Amino acid sequence: MEERTAAVSPFLDAGTFVRFAETAEAIGATTKRLEKAAILGRYFAGLGDDDLLRAARYFAGYAFSLRDQRTTNVGGAALVAAILAVSGADEARLRERLVALGDAGDVAHEAFAASPTQAQLAPVLTLGDMAGFLETLAATSGTKRKVELVTDLLRRAAPLEAKYVVKLLQGDLRIGLKEGAVEDGIARLAGTDVGRIQWVNMLTGDIGETALLARHGRLDTARMRLFHPIKFMLATAAEDLSDVARQMPPEFAVEDKYDGIRAQAHVARATPGDDILHGVSVEGRHVALFSRTLDEITESFPDLVGPLAAALTPERRAASDEGFILDGEVVPVQGERILPFQELQKRLGRKTLTEAVLSSVPVAFVAYDVLYADGRVLINAPFAERRAVLEGLSGMGAPLRVTPSERFSDVAKLDEAFDAARVRGNEGLMVKDPGSPYKPGRRGRDWLKIKRALATLDVVVTAAQVGEGRRSRFLSDYTFAVRASETNPTLLNVGKAYSGLTDVEITRLSEWFRSHALQSFAHGKVITVEPKIVLEVTFDRVQPSTRHKSGYALRFPRILRIREDKPVEEIDTLETVRRLAEAGGGAAEAET
Ligand code: AMP
């Protein structure tokens, strides 16, 4: 049989959106990371500069660069409305498919392929069209207007184009491609080591610009730009004191482990054009706060903005005020005292932060690291050197603090330090290697955390819900309950967990729940199930809550395992939950 060749020269149609979509399909069809990078590298090589910039961002799942605070902000309901309007599909059927496929892009593809107006359309969209569309969308407010814009674009879209327009608007192409793989693809394109690409991407906060610099051999010219989140360095739990002794050098740094919200603060002189950057400008300086999930959270802490803007690095006056980036924790405080995390919850999730709320739950930013200051990227500098820079900051006071950090050379003293940290209202200790660099996004052994012993509960699943992202095809989020008492089998919900199981386990449970459903809500997205599956869950703490019938909720629950060995009659009771809450959440014993 004669082989079919591509209808158009790969160079002529390289900048079309359908070529982007076909490349994405090819990437989604392989699970091999190297192959994904090779496909991307080849695709990138055929693009002009403008399109390379766009395609690199889109493959990483961004409509704009990470520094850019603009968002398209089109919700799932708006996407479904636009898909329905253009394809003329039956709504009930489409929603059923959405539950089955779990991705609005896949649903759009199906609906458009079956649509008399769309199925036969020839692809016409270009990457340039997409860029213009995304900008207009970001500049438009109001759901109705946004739906109209999406609808107008989708009317011009062939099925495969529609699939990726929708996926891009969802912020994730769901083709098993992470930003790291895009960096791999760029490394291929430029014949460079991926480490250099990662570094420049971290400095610039723009994978598109990184691709261009790589192509033109100008990676060395990249400079640190602020106001985009840098991935956070994470800690590993120490098993016991001998673990600390084994992992740490003879002398190590010891700090309190604060229980608040991890945050990264960016501060620099405000310059024209800052309005599209994350953050806010006050008194000539620009300030932004990012969460561990890399979301901007400046708006939740307006009371930290002024103090951060006023903070000074040692060279601020002398140098050009290139600013700084701090890593730390936002904690609720009362004067000098740090309050329990629950206090902070009173402030989170509120739509508007009134003066009354702000003053009833004051917060402090406790800085424990610095990633950049006065034109120097400090990520590769040893912790001891970063500490020195941190201690040189002035204007730190009241809501801005620097963690006290002590040098220890004897692990036996950690016991006492742990108790002292607990008395100060903190969670435990962090132990750090003074010689270690800051490793963005890595959970290494340079930072060890010492917390309470793990507390667990055995619970039974009462409801299951379809998950997010990769897990949207499965019932992967589980609400679970404990028994009212040894003698009373009434089940009382106490939490909901999303993580901890393997894909295989989730697939199996998902099937089981579907065939043991009691009631179905939201088109089968949420179902109540026969209470038979027992899980062992762990959590950071138990706290009183009105959310669940038990009157308690677990903070950060994770599933440890499915207790195949345990019947529902033997799961934990409300009494155990109450005891855990009274003991401060975790097990009563401290682990050091
Ligand atoms: P974990 O979340 O259990 O992996 O523990 C690491 C977390 O402890 C970090 O993400 C921070 O939010 C928090 N933390 C509290 N105090 C410190 C500290 N002094 N140094 C580093 N991380 C800290």
Side-chain angles (χ1 to χ4, degrees):
M1 212 166 70
E2 199 184 312
E3 239 186 72
R4 286 181 55 186
T5 49
V8 192
S9 143
F11 294 103
L12 283 180
D13 69 350
T16 61
F17 193 64
V18 73
R19 178 53 69 88
F20 173 89
E22 284 164 359
T23 308
E25 293 278 281
I27 290 168
T30 173
T31 51
K32 299 196 188 85
R33 196 183 155 123
L34 280 180
E35 211 169 306
K36 287 179 197 275
I39 296 170
L40 258 188
R42 278 198 300 276
Y43 168 68
F44 285 158
L47 297 174
D49 279 1
D50 288 348
D51 286 332
L52 174 61
L53 183 104
R54 293 164 183 148
R57 288 177 185 164
Y58 300 165
F59 268 118
Y62 304 127
F64 304 103
S65 84
L66 202 53
R67 306 176 65 229
D68 196 326
Q69 71 162 341
R70 287 177 298 171
T71 55
T72 51
N73 214 357
V74 180
L79 287 176
V80 168
I83 297 167
L84 281 171
V86 178
S87 68
D90 172 65
E91 179 163 358
R93 168 94 189 119
L94 189 118
R95 290 195 184 277
E96 231 172 70
R97 295 302 293 155
L98 198 54
V99 174
L101 298 174
D103 180 287
D106 292 335
V107 172
H109 194 199
E110 257 188 24
F112 275 50
S115 157
T117 57
Q118 307 303 123
Q120 303 307 325
L121 283 188
V124 290
L125 301 175
T126 63
L127 288 169
D129 292 336
M130 270 317 278
F133 163 70
L134 294 171
E135 297 215 342
T136 313
L137 205 52
T140 304
S141 52
T143 307
K144 191 162 165 278
R145 265 306 288 148
K146 281 181 190 278
V147 172
E148 281 167 13
L149 283 172
V150 178
T151 306
D152 286 349
L153 184 83
L154 286 180
R155 280 198 203 290
R156 298 167 56 205
L160 191 61
E161 290 176 315
K163 175 172 177 176
Y164 283 92
V165 168
V166 171
K167 278 173 174 275
L168 191 52
L169 292 175
Q170 282 181 160
D172 186 353
L173 302 185
R174 300 186 188 171
I175 53 172
L177 188 79
K178 293 260 152 19
E179 189 160 356
V182 182
E183 290 168 336
D184 277 349
I186 297 171
R188 290 271 181 152
L189 165 78
T192 323
D193 167 45
V194 69
R196 287 190 72 206
I197 304 292
Q198 286 164 351
W199 179 255
V200 171
N201 189 24
M202 186 217 35
L203 293 182
T204 59
D206 186 352
I207 186 106
E209 187 182 337
T210 304
L212 282 189
L213 292 174
R215 162 179 279 176
H216 295 291
R218 293 177 42 228
L219 289 169
D220 288 342
T221 65
R223 294 284 167 267
M224 181 59 149
R225 294 236 214 82
L226 280 74
F227 306 110
H228 62 87
I230 291 174
K231 291 189 190 125
F232 292 75
M233 177 162 170
L234 304 172
T236 303
E239 302 281 332
D240 49 33
L241 289 188
S242 65
D243 198 23
V244 176
R246 243 190 338 270
Q247 308 287 345
M248 286 290 141
E251 206 186 45
F252 47 86
V254 178
E255 302 169 2
D256 280 14
K257 184 176 192 300
Y258 300 93
D259 189 12
I261 291 181
R262 185 86 181 261
Q264 196 175 90
H266 292 230
V267 181
R269 182 184 47 182
T271 49
D274 280 352
D275 48 329
I276 68 156
L277 296 181
H278 291 282
V280 292
S281 293
V282 280
E283 290 166 24
R285 295 192 109 198
H286 199 75
V287 176
L289 281 166
F290 297 100
S291 70
R292 178 163 156 182
T293 47
L294 311 184
D295 296 306
E296 193 194 328
I297 49 168
T298 324
E299 275 190 3
S300 303
F301 303 104
D303 39 350
L304 289 178
V305 169
L308 278 167
L312 307 176
T313 56
E315 293 169 37
R316 178 179 170 196
R317 274 185 211 89
S320 55
D321 187 17
E322 288 173 275
F324 55 88
I325 300 176
L326 303 179
D327 182 10
E329 201 90 357
V330 177
V331 290
V333 290
Q334 190 175 53
E336 286 300 300
R337 222 158 57 86
I338 293 175
L339 301 179
F341 178 81
Q342 282 99 310
E343 291 299 315
L344 201 53
Q345 277 180 327
K346 295 183 185 155
R347 225 169 117 154
L348 303 172
R350 295 213 180 218
K351 283 220 175 69
T352 46
L353 282 170
T354 58
E355 279 300 323
V357 174
L358 291 180
S359 57
S360 73
V361 189
V363 294
F365 178 78
V366 191
Y368 39 72
D369 219 317
V370 54
L371 314 189
Y372 171 86
D374 287 330
R376 273 186 72 209
V377 181
L378 297 165
I379 285 168
N380 288 332
F383 176 68
E385 193 179 326
R386 303 200 303 276
R387 248 328 277 191
V389 174
L390 203 54
E391 284 164 14
L393 290 174
S394 59
M396 306 292 280
L400 292 187
R401 305 176 187 182
V402 173
T403 336
S405 184
E406 262 188 86
R407 287 300 180 94
F408 276 49
S409 49
D410 181 0
V411 288
K413 293 213 176 107
L414 285 174
D415 261 335
E416 209 181 296
F418 181 89
D419 292 340
R422 300 283 300 164
V423 168
R424 284 190 288 271
N426 297 324
E427 218 188 343
L429 297 175
M430 294 287 299
V431 180
K432 301 180 178 179
D433 178 346
S436 63
Y438 190 93
K439 295 181 181 152
R442 301 262 291 279
R443 187 182 291 285
R445 305 207 136 260
D446 297 325
W447 288 9
L448 296 178
K449 56 187 175 195
I450 304 177
K451 294 203 279 189
R452 271 187 302 271
L454 207 60
T456 66
L457 279 176
D458 291 329
V459 296
V460 69
V461 179
T462 52
Q465 184 175 347
V466 293
E468 298 280 339
R470 206 161 52 83
R471 295 194 158 165
S472 54
R473 280 158 217 250
F474 304 107
L475 291 159
S476 64
D477 302 355
Y478 309 129
T479 301
F480 48 77
V482 291
R483 273 167 76 100
S485 73
E486 296 288 346
T487 49
N488 179 353
T490 308
L491 294 174
L492 303 169
N493 285 343
V494 66
K496 187 169 173 184
Y498 313 81
S499 64
L501 296 178
T502 64
D503 286 2
V504 175
E505 288 172 320
I506 288 175
T507 312
R508 191 161 59 84
L509 280 188
S510 195
E511 276 167 20
W512 191 93
F513 287 137
R514 285 248 178 257
S515 52
H516 294 81
L518 298 176
Q519 301 153 285
S520 169
F521 305 95
H523 305 277
K525 277 194 162 179
V526 184
I527 57 176
T528 52
V529 298
E530 293 176 32
K532 295 267 167 60
I533 304 288
V534 176
L535 302 176
E536 182 180 358
V537 294
T538 180
F539 42 84
D540 282 3
R541 76 151 59 96
V542 182
Q543 54 200 32
S545 160
T546 50
R547 185 152 158 221
H548 299 297
K549 265 211 192 127
S550 60
Y552 293 95
L554 307 187
R555 184 175 165 227
F556 297 139
R558 295 173 295 284
I559 301 167
L560 286 180
R561 60 198 169 117
I562 306 171
R563 296 283 316 240
E564 314 265 8
D565 56 330
K566 199 152 211 193
V568 182
E569 296 71 42
E570 287 171 36
I571 61 170
D572 280 303
T573 60
L574 187 59
E575 179 53 31
T576 314
V577 174
R578 192 176 297 135
R579 261 194 292 117
L580 284 170
E582 280 162 11
E589 291 294 301
E591 176 203 80
T592 54

